[in-house]
Amino acid sequence: MVFQPPSASLRQVSGVPFDSAVDFAPAAKRRYDQFDQRRNNHDPSKCKALLAFPKSSGGIRAVFWSAKMAIDTDGPAAGPGRKTGKQLDATGQNQTSFRLGNNKSIPAEIVPYIVLPQNEAKNGPFDPAVALGDVAIVIFKDMITAAICGDLGPVRKIGEASIRVHESLQPACPDPCKRDTNGFCSKVRNASVEQDVLYFVFPGSKFADGELTLDNINTKVKERAFTLYNQLRGAS
């Protein structure tokens, strides 16, 4: 059955060839669905689709899923007066799986990144077609933003993104943070999006080692992600 995007997102997905998409990583999809059904699971992924858009010459143009969007705080402090991932959320960490050329992690407050679930061996993403550093597009309702695959997450959950992604999708998304007097995030709120967030990841799109810095990452990721997304939807 062809995936039907939420009506609120139709403008942003115009031209996306969902009729050519095929089921992707079925074992991973089953894990997410089965975990959703566990008793007392108060944070279901609600993964309504996990698909791939094939290339006409072989390979994969994009991997897609529709799911929730939890808030990821992982990474170092984004600058003076800001807090680390662990300080923003007790379950957070001060490092991300993806590292810049200087081996430094990326701060959740200022870098838009999404989280890839781990595989069952916990030694990489849920499928080898996707990789840390690949670029992505995230859509919720009528808002859209670029992101990088910047962290690895739980094996049995899908749908998580940095504070900056949540901010970039406002006003569709609620503010992910409680704010201090400077407007910085002082603590994350219970403000996850429950369902219908659309994620597009572009395999093989990561940058060369050392190319990304904290100063250029957002600009470079945005340019590459939107170029690939517009190609997918036939807009360029």
Side-chain angles (χ1 to χ4, degrees):
M1 183 180 296
V2 176
F3 175 74
Q4 298 297 321
S7 58
S9 300
L10 288 178
R11 184 177 73 92
Q12 296 293 1
V13 299
S14 175
V16 173
F18 283 109
D19 57 346
S20 71
V22 296
D23 289 339
F24 179 73
K29 177 71 162 59
R30 283 194 297 273
R31 285 199 300 273
Y32 312 141
D33 292 345
Q34 289 169 359
F35 192 66
D36 277 6
Q37 295 166 10
R38 292 188 59 170
R39 179 182 292 183
N40 298 323
N41 180 0
H42 302 298
D43 186 28
S45 297
K46 295 187 178 178
C47 183
K48 297 180 179 179
L50 181 52
L51 307 171
F53 294 89
K55 291 180 178 178
S56 58
S57 58
I60 297 173
R61 296 181 69 189
V63 170
F64 166 84
W65 60 91
S66 170
K68 67 169 185 177
M69 188 170 69
I71 304 168
D72 191 295
T73 68
D74 289 356
R82 299 188 187 236
K83 295 186 176 181
T84 66
K86 187 73 173 177
Q87 291 170 328
L88 292 170
D89 183 352
T91 65
Q93 303 179 60
N94 295 341
Q95 299 85 32
T96 53
S97 303
F98 175 79
R99 304 295 173 89
L100 297 171
N102 56 10
N103 201 37
K104 290 188 177 180
S105 296
I106 50 177
E109 265 199 275
I110 59 173
V111 177
Y113 68 75
I114 66 170
V115 178
L116 298 175
Q118 295 181 83
N119 59 33
E120 289 188 290
K122 295 186 178 180
N123 61 2
F126 68 98
D127 189 274
V130 293
L132 289 169
D134 282 344
V135 300
I137 288 289
V138 186
I139 296 169
F140 182 57
K141 295 185 177 178
D142 196 41
M143 301 298 294
I144 185 170
T145 191
I148 191 168
C149 295
D151 211 3
L152 293 175
V155 173
R156 294 179 291 177
K157 292 184 178 184
I158 192 169
E160 191 174 4
S162 70
I163 291 169
R164 186 64 192 134
V165 169
H166 286 255
E167 292 176 337
S168 298
L169 294 173
Q170 289 181 287
C173 287
D175 189 339
C177 293
K178 295 179 181 178
R179 306 279 173 180
D180 62 21
T181 55
N182 293 313
F184 299 156
C185 194
S186 61
K187 191 176 183 64
V188 291
R189 301 171 59 235
N190 183 16
S192 297
V193 179
E194 291 186 357
Q195 60 185 335
D196 292 332
V197 179
L198 310 180
Y199 303 81
F200 296 83
V201 174
F202 300 95
S205 61
K206 63 182 181 180
F207 292 83
D209 291 346
E211 185 173 352
L212 295 179
T213 68
L214 197 56
D215 290 331
N216 69 21
I217 184 171
N218 290 7
T219 300
K220 284 183 172 288
V221 166
K222 181 178 180 179
E223 180 181 5
R224 182 167 293 184
F226 274 100
T227 295
L228 293 169
Y229 183 62
N230 286 334
Q231 290 173 359
L232 175 67
R233 63 200 293 235
S236 66

